[in-house]
Short mmCIF file of all heavy atoms in Angstrom, two decimals:
data_model
loop_
_atom_site.label_atom_id
_atom_site.label_comp_id
_atom_site.label_asym_id
_atom_site.label_seq_id
_atom_site.Cartn_x
_atom_site.Cartn_y
_atom_site.Cartn_z
N VAL A 50 116.75 137.26 49.62
CA VAL A 50 117.93 137.59 48.83
C VAL A 50 119.15 137.23 49.67
O VAL A 50 119.29 137.70 50.79
CB VAL A 50 117.95 139.07 48.42
CG1 VAL A 50 119.23 139.39 47.66
CG2 VAL A 50 116.73 139.41 47.58
N TYR A 51 120.01 136.37 49.12
CA TYR A 51 121.19 135.90 49.84
C TYR A 51 122.46 136.46 49.20
O TYR A 51 122.55 136.59 47.98
CB TYR A 51 121.24 134.37 49.83
CG TYR A 51 120.06 133.75 50.53
CD1 TYR A 51 119.07 133.09 49.80
CD2 TYR A 51 119.91 133.84 51.90
CE1 TYR A 51 117.98 132.53 50.43
CE2 TYR A 51 118.82 133.28 52.54
CZ TYR A 51 117.85 132.64 51.80
OH TYR A 51 116.77 132.09 52.44
N ASP A 52 123.43 136.78 50.04
CA ASP A 52 124.72 137.24 49.58
C ASP A 52 125.66 136.05 49.44
O ASP A 52 125.74 135.21 50.34
CB ASP A 52 125.31 138.24 50.58
CG ASP A 52 124.55 139.55 50.57
OD1 ASP A 52 124.52 140.18 49.51
OD2 ASP A 52 124.00 139.93 51.62
N VAL A 53 126.36 136.00 48.32
CA VAL A 53 127.31 134.92 48.05
C VAL A 53 128.66 135.52 47.71
O VAL A 53 128.75 136.46 46.92
CB VAL A 53 126.83 134.04 46.86
CG1 VAL A 53 127.86 133.00 46.49
CG2 VAL A 53 125.49 133.39 47.19
N ASP A 54 129.71 135.00 48.33
CA ASP A 54 131.08 135.38 48.01
C ASP A 54 131.83 134.15 47.53
O ASP A 54 131.72 133.08 48.13
CB ASP A 54 131.79 135.97 49.24
CG ASP A 54 131.21 137.32 49.63
OD1 ASP A 54 130.90 138.11 48.72
OD2 ASP A 54 131.08 137.58 50.83
N ILE A 55 132.58 134.31 46.46
CA ILE A 55 133.34 133.22 45.85
C ILE A 55 134.79 133.68 45.70
O ILE A 55 135.05 134.76 45.17
CB ILE A 55 132.81 132.89 44.43
CG1 ILE A 55 131.32 132.57 44.45
CG2 ILE A 55 133.64 131.81 43.76
CD1 ILE A 55 130.95 131.20 44.90
N ARG A 56 135.72 132.85 46.15
CA ARG A 56 137.14 133.12 45.96
C ARG A 56 137.68 132.07 44.99
O ARG A 56 137.46 130.87 45.17
CB ARG A 56 137.91 133.07 47.27
CG ARG A 56 139.39 133.44 47.06
CD ARG A 56 140.13 133.64 48.36
NE ARG A 56 139.61 134.69 49.20
CZ ARG A 56 139.83 136.00 49.04
NH1 ARG A 56 140.57 136.43 48.04
NH2 ARG A 56 139.33 136.88 49.89
N LEU A 57 138.39 132.55 43.97
CA LEU A 57 138.97 131.69 42.94
C LEU A 57 140.49 131.80 42.98
O LEU A 57 141.04 132.82 43.38
CB LEU A 57 138.49 132.10 41.55
CG LEU A 57 136.99 132.14 41.33
CD1 LEU A 57 136.70 132.71 39.95
CD2 LEU A 57 136.37 130.78 41.49
N ARG A 58 141.15 130.75 42.52
CA ARG A 58 142.59 130.79 42.30
C ARG A 58 142.87 129.97 41.05
O ARG A 58 142.53 128.80 40.99
CB ARG A 58 143.36 130.22 43.49
CG ARG A 58 144.89 130.32 43.28
CD ARG A 58 145.68 129.92 44.51
NE ARG A 58 145.45 130.90 45.57
CZ ARG A 58 145.11 130.57 46.82
NH1 ARG A 58 144.98 129.31 47.17
NH2 ARG A 58 144.92 131.51 47.72
N HIS A 59 143.45 130.60 40.06
CA HIS A 59 143.76 129.94 38.78
C HIS A 59 142.53 129.26 38.18
O HIS A 59 142.61 128.15 37.67
CB HIS A 59 144.89 128.93 38.95
CG HIS A 59 146.12 129.52 39.56
ND1 HIS A 59 146.88 130.49 38.93
CD2 HIS A 59 146.71 129.31 40.76
CE1 HIS A 59 147.88 130.84 39.70
NE2 HIS A 59 147.81 130.15 40.83
N GLY A 60 141.39 129.94 38.26
CA GLY A 60 140.17 129.42 37.66
C GLY A 60 139.49 128.32 38.45
O GLY A 60 138.55 127.71 37.98
N ARG A 61 139.94 128.07 39.65
CA ARG A 61 139.34 127.01 40.48
C ARG A 61 138.78 127.61 41.76
O ARG A 61 139.32 128.57 42.31
CB ARG A 61 140.35 125.94 40.80
CG ARG A 61 140.81 125.20 39.56
CD ARG A 61 141.53 123.91 39.94
NE ARG A 61 142.05 123.26 38.76
CZ ARG A 61 141.37 122.37 38.04
NH1 ARG A 61 140.16 122.02 38.38
NH2 ARG A 61 141.92 121.82 36.99
N LEU A 62 137.72 126.98 42.26
CA LEU A 62 137.08 127.42 43.48
C LEU A 62 137.99 127.16 44.67
O LEU A 62 138.47 126.05 44.88
CB LEU A 62 135.76 126.67 43.66
CG LEU A 62 134.98 126.95 44.93
CD1 LEU A 62 134.49 128.40 44.93
CD2 LEU A 62 133.79 126.00 45.03
N VAL A 63 138.25 128.21 45.45
CA VAL A 63 139.04 128.09 46.68
C VAL A 63 138.11 128.06 47.87
O VAL A 63 138.24 127.22 48.76
CB VAL A 63 140.04 129.26 46.81
CG1 VAL A 63 140.74 129.24 48.15
CG2 VAL A 63 141.05 129.23 45.68
N SER A 64 137.15 128.99 47.91
CA SER A 64 136.19 129.03 49.00
C SER A 64 134.93 129.72 48.53
O SER A 64 134.93 130.46 47.55
CB SER A 64 136.77 129.75 50.21
OG SER A 64 137.01 131.11 49.91
N ALA A 65 133.86 129.46 49.28
CA ALA A 65 132.58 130.08 48.98
C ALA A 65 131.80 130.24 50.27
O ALA A 65 131.93 129.42 51.19
CB ALA A 65 131.79 129.23 47.99
N ALA A 66 131.01 131.29 50.33
CA ALA A 66 130.16 131.53 51.49
C ALA A 66 128.83 132.09 51.03
O ALA A 66 128.78 132.86 50.06
CB ALA A 66 130.84 132.51 52.44
N CYS A 67 127.78 131.70 51.71
CA CYS A 67 126.44 132.18 51.41
C CYS A 67 125.74 132.46 52.74
O CYS A 67 125.99 131.78 53.74
CB CYS A 67 125.67 131.14 50.61
SG CYS A 67 123.98 131.67 50.19
N THR A 68 124.83 133.42 52.72
CA THR A 68 124.11 133.78 53.93
C THR A 68 122.84 132.97 54.15
O THR A 68 122.13 133.20 55.13
CB THR A 68 123.76 135.29 53.91
OG1 THR A 68 122.99 135.58 52.74
CG2 THR A 68 125.01 136.15 53.96
N CYS A 69 122.57 131.98 53.30
CA CYS A 69 121.35 131.17 53.47
C CYS A 69 121.51 130.19 54.63
O CYS A 69 122.64 129.82 54.99
CB CYS A 69 121.01 130.44 52.18
SG CYS A 69 122.01 128.96 51.84
N PRO A 70 120.40 129.74 55.20
CA PRO A 70 120.47 128.80 56.32
C PRO A 70 121.13 127.47 55.96
O PRO A 70 121.86 126.89 56.77
CB PRO A 70 119.00 128.58 56.70
CG PRO A 70 118.26 129.75 56.16
CD PRO A 70 119.04 130.20 54.94
N TYR A 71 120.91 126.98 54.74
CA TYR A 71 121.50 125.70 54.33
C TYR A 71 123.03 125.77 54.36
O TYR A 71 123.69 124.84 54.81
CB TYR A 71 121.01 125.33 52.92
CG TYR A 71 121.53 124.00 52.43
CD1 TYR A 71 120.84 122.83 52.72
CD2 TYR A 71 122.70 123.91 51.68
CE1 TYR A 71 121.31 121.60 52.27
CE2 TYR A 71 123.17 122.69 51.24
CZ TYR A 71 122.47 121.54 51.53
OH TYR A 71 122.93 120.33 51.10
N ALA A 72 123.58 126.89 53.93
CA ALA A 72 125.04 127.04 53.87
C ALA A 72 125.67 127.08 55.26
O ALA A 72 126.87 126.86 55.39
CB ALA A 72 125.41 128.29 53.08
N GLN A 73 124.87 127.37 56.28
CA GLN A 73 125.41 127.39 57.63
C GLN A 73 125.70 125.98 58.13
O GLN A 73 126.49 125.79 59.05
CB GLN A 73 124.44 128.09 58.59
CG GLN A 73 124.00 129.48 58.14
CD GLN A 73 125.14 130.39 57.73
OE1 GLN A 73 126.09 130.56 58.47
NE2 GLN A 73 125.05 130.96 56.53
N GLN A 74 125.08 124.99 57.50
CA GLN A 74 125.23 123.59 57.94
C GLN A 74 125.96 122.71 56.93
O GLN A 74 126.39 121.62 57.27
CB GLN A 74 123.84 122.98 58.18
CG GLN A 74 123.01 123.71 59.20
CD GLN A 74 123.59 123.58 60.60
OE1 GLN A 74 124.10 122.53 60.96
NE2 GLN A 74 123.54 124.65 61.38
N HIS A 75 126.07 123.16 55.69
CA HIS A 75 126.64 122.35 54.61
C HIS A 75 127.71 123.15 53.87
O HIS A 75 127.72 124.37 53.91
CB HIS A 75 125.55 121.92 53.64
CG HIS A 75 124.48 121.10 54.29
ND1 HIS A 75 123.41 121.69 54.93
CD2 HIS A 75 124.34 119.76 54.44
CE1 HIS A 75 122.63 120.73 55.42
NE2 HIS A 75 123.17 119.57 55.15
N ALA A 76 128.55 122.44 53.17
CA ALA A 76 129.67 123.09 52.48
C ALA A 76 129.21 124.03 51.37
O ALA A 76 129.62 125.18 51.31
CB ALA A 76 130.64 122.04 51.94
N TYR A 77 128.36 123.55 50.47
CA TYR A 77 127.97 124.35 49.32
C TYR A 77 126.47 124.26 49.09
O TYR A 77 125.90 123.17 49.08
CB TYR A 77 128.71 123.90 48.05
CG TYR A 77 130.21 124.05 48.20
CD1 TYR A 77 131.03 122.94 48.36
CD2 TYR A 77 130.80 125.30 48.18
CE1 TYR A 77 132.40 123.08 48.51
CE2 TYR A 77 132.16 125.45 48.33
CZ TYR A 77 132.96 124.34 48.49
OH TYR A 77 134.31 124.50 48.64
N CYS A 78 125.85 125.41 48.86
CA CYS A 78 124.40 125.48 48.63
C CYS A 78 124.11 125.78 47.15
O CYS A 78 125.00 126.07 46.37
CB CYS A 78 123.80 126.57 49.52
SG CYS A 78 124.38 128.24 49.10
N LYS A 79 122.82 125.76 46.82
CA LYS A 79 122.39 126.03 45.44
C LYS A 79 122.71 127.46 45.02
O LYS A 79 122.95 127.72 43.85
CB LYS A 79 120.91 125.73 45.28
CG LYS A 79 120.01 126.59 46.15
CD LYS A 79 118.58 126.09 46.13
CE LYS A 79 117.76 126.82 47.16
NZ LYS A 79 116.47 126.16 47.34
N HIS A 80 122.74 128.38 45.96
CA HIS A 80 123.04 129.78 45.63
C HIS A 80 124.49 129.92 45.17
O HIS A 80 124.78 130.61 44.20
CB HIS A 80 122.75 130.68 46.84
CG HIS A 80 121.41 130.45 47.43
ND1 HIS A 80 121.22 129.82 48.65
CD2 HIS A 80 120.17 130.72 46.96
CE1 HIS A 80 119.94 129.73 48.90
NE2 HIS A 80 119.27 130.27 47.89
N VAL A 81 125.39 129.23 45.87
CA VAL A 81 126.81 129.22 45.47
C VAL A 81 126.93 128.59 44.09
O VAL A 81 127.64 129.10 43.21
CB VAL A 81 127.67 128.48 46.51
CG1 VAL A 81 129.06 128.19 45.96
CG2 VAL A 81 127.76 129.28 47.80
N GLY A 82 126.24 127.48 43.87
CA GLY A 82 126.28 126.82 42.56
C GLY A 82 125.79 127.72 41.45
O GLY A 82 126.39 127.77 40.36
N ALA A 83 124.72 128.47 41.69
CA ALA A 83 124.19 129.38 40.67
C ALA A 83 125.21 130.47 40.33
O ALA A 83 125.39 130.83 39.17
CB ALA A 83 122.89 130.01 41.15
N VAL A 84 125.92 130.97 41.35
CA VAL A 84 126.94 131.99 41.10
C VAL A 84 128.12 131.39 40.34
O VAL A 84 128.67 132.02 39.44
CB VAL A 84 127.38 132.67 42.42
CG1 VAL A 84 128.55 133.61 42.18
CG2 VAL A 84 126.21 133.42 43.03
N LEU A 85 128.50 130.17 40.67
CA LEU A 85 129.59 129.51 39.92
C LEU A 85 129.21 129.37 38.44
O LEU A 85 130.04 129.60 37.56
CB LEU A 85 129.90 128.14 40.51
CG LEU A 85 130.58 128.13 41.87
CD1 LEU A 85 130.71 126.71 42.39
CD2 LEU A 85 131.94 128.81 41.82
N LEU A 86 127.97 129.00 38.18
CA LEU A 86 127.52 128.90 36.79
C LEU A 86 127.54 130.26 36.10
O LEU A 86 127.92 130.36 34.94
CB LEU A 86 126.12 128.29 36.75
CG LEU A 86 126.07 126.81 37.11
CD1 LEU A 86 124.66 126.39 37.51
CD2 LEU A 86 126.59 125.96 35.96
#
Side-chain angles (χ1 to χ4, degrees):
V50 177
Y51 298 109
D52 290 299
V53 175
D54 291 321
I55 305 281
R56 183 170 300 280
L57 304 174
R58 183 173 293 130
H59 305 295
R61 295 195 184 270
L62 177 66
V63 173
S64 65
C67 180
T68 57
C69 78
Y71 182 87
Q73 307 311 308
Q74 302 292 323
H75 300 85
Y77 299 107
C78 65
K79 62 190 171 192
H80 310 108
V81 167
V84 173
L85 290 174
L86 289 161

